[in-house]
């Protein structure tokens, strides 16, 4: 198994630089906000964070490809950094502190491309989570000051906490009835949204979560962190990985039950 320690250290450097760019403009009264063709917002901070990450990668890993939400794909090869400069831009725009920079490294191996390093940094919450393939998942202030993450041991749906982002996506997918029934059958539901439910699955404070429509930059960092914490991350079709355009994450014990409700027919 490849040692990704240096890549993980670099990912923290990238996250530090992005944090500086995003926190500087958070809640700024003159924040510039535009609307993208898909009708989602993008701010000057989104662009600045991705630009600084790409600049550092260009010097430190010039042979690696990069995929970012704001500037698309550059480069080619078996290693690809995947960046969401601000996951939760709508929260960022409204001054809600639940947003994060997501940074992942993907590598091609047996079974195709998969995330091998992930960092999720939420500076307004004062939180950061990370993982490298085969090395476990952690949260803390730095690589040397961290707590190892582990998913919950909840095995019954009626004892489970279920996190989600919104209802509309499930309605558009014609699964709203099943979604609502899952919520009724769980012990507790909360609409946390974006990166946070996946981190709570990894921490063991939430047991299952799912989203019906996502891009790779929304998933890659989250996936390796959940999996290295002992959980499972798949598409709604049940296939492992981040290529399906949607996600189901769990402590592993409840994954089949989650897919019984929300999985692809």
């Amino acid at each position: 198994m490849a040692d990704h320690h240096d890549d993980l250290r670099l990912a923290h450097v990238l996250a530090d630089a992005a944090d500086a760019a995003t926190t500087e403009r958070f809640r700024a009264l003159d924040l510039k906000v535009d609307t993208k063709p898909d009708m989602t917002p993008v701010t000057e901070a989104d662009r600045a964070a991705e630009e600084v990450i790409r600049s550092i990668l260009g010097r430190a890993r010039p042979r690696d490809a990069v995929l970012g939400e704001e500037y698309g794909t550059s480069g080619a090869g078996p290693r690809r950094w995947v960046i969401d400069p601000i996951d939760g831009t709508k929260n960022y725009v409204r001054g809600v502190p639940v947003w994060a920079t997501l940074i992942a490294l993907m590598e091609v191996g047996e079974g195709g491309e998969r995330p091998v390093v992930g960092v999720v940094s939420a500076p307004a919450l004062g939180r950061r989570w990370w993982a490298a393939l085969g090395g476990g998942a952690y949260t803390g202030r730095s690589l040397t000051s961290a707590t190892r993450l582990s998913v919950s041991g909840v095995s019954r749906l009626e004892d489970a906490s279920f996190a989600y982002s919104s209802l509309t996506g499930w309605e558009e997918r014609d699964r709203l009835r099943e979604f609502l029934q899952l919520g009724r059958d769980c012990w507790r539901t909360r609409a946390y949204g974006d990166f946070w439910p996946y981190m709570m699955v990894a921490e063991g404070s939430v047991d299952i979560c799912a989203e019906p429509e996502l891009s790779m930059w929304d998933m890659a960092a989250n996936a390796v962190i959940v999996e290295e914490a002992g959980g499972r991350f798949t598409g709604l079709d049940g296939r492992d990985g981040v290529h399906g355009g949607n996600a189901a994450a769990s402590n592993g014990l409840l994954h089949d039950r989650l897919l019984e409700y929300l999985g692809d027919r």
Side-chain angles (χ1 to χ4, degrees), residues 80-159:
R80 176 165 63 154
W81 294 87
V82 179
I83 305 159
D84 190 342
I86 299 180
D87 184 49
T89 298
K90 292 176 182 177
N91 282 348
Y92 186 92
V93 168
R94 293 297 301 270
V96 178
V98 184
W99 49 270
T101 296
L102 278 55
I103 300 165
L105 173 63
M106 308 276 290
E107 286 189 349
V108 176
E110 279 189 45
E113 188 184 37
R114 64 172 297 181
V116 296
V117 168
V119 172
V120 173
S121 190
L125 295 177
R127 298 294 310 276
R128 185 176 290 186
W129 303 261
W130 64 87
L133 183 64
Y138 296 85
T139 185
R141 301 183 66 86
S142 69
L143 283 167
T144 57
S145 178
T147 302
R148 188 155 186 168
L149 300 176
S150 180
V151 296
S152 75
V154 173
S155 60
R156 300 196 316 160
L157 197 64
E158 55 265 38
D159 298 326

Side-chain angles (χ1 to χ4, degrees), residues 203-215:
E203 291 180 337
S205 52
V206 162
D207 309 300
I208 56 175
C209 66
E211 291 184 89
E213 185 176 2
L214 294 169
S215 298

Side-chain angles (χ1 to χ4, degrees), residues 156-167 170 175-190 206-212 236 247-250 254-263:
R156 300 196 316 160
L157 197 64
E158 55 265 38
D159 298 326
S161 180
F162 169 41
Y164 61 96
S165 349
S166 68
L167 301 179
W170 298 107
R175 302 308 296 272
L176 182 58
R177 183 180 66 178
E178 293 86 349
F179 172 87
L180 294 173
Q181 189 59 52
L182 173 60
R184 295 185 191 103
D185 291 344
C186 287
W187 167 65
R188 188 171 189 259
T189 63
R190 284 294 183 272
V206 162
D207 309 300
I208 56 175
C209 66
E211 291 184 89
L236 293 175
S250 76
L254 293 168
H255 207 82
D256 290 342
R257 293 299 314 278
L258 173 60
L259 293 177
E260 284 175 12
Y261 288 84
L262 300 181

